[in-house]
Amino acid sequence: MAIEVITREDLNEFRTLLLSDLNAMFHSKPQQQKQWLKSTEVRKLLNISPGTLQNLRINGVLSYTKVGGIIFYAYADLLKVLEENKVEASPNLFNPKWLVR
């Protein structure tokens, strides 16, 4: 059985490499969101079925662009639809209506 001795120089080298890797991670640019998404990407993002996405298009809730046979959705439009349909939380958490006394 071989015993490997770790010296201070080894630890200092490890520390230097670890710090440089962490520094690179923290200063790297975050991955940018795509501007245009295909139908499959939108369905995965919103966790909806193809029929629901079609209803959103037909009812004019979600705007789209069709190029050839491919439908694209602007990511900014998705955020806008989500924000416009946002339901605010009820501020009265300690007296719910369903609680019977």
Side-chain angles (χ1 to χ4, degrees), residues 94-101:
F94 297 106
N95 190 17
K97 294 177 183 177
W98 52 267
L99 184 63
V100 179
R101 293 184 189 202

Side-chain angles (χ1 to χ4, degrees), residues 81-93:
V81 168
L82 289 173
E83 193 62 39
E84 288 173 353
N85 291 289
K86 183 177 171 181
V87 177
E88 295 297 329
S90 174
N92 193 357
L93 296 176

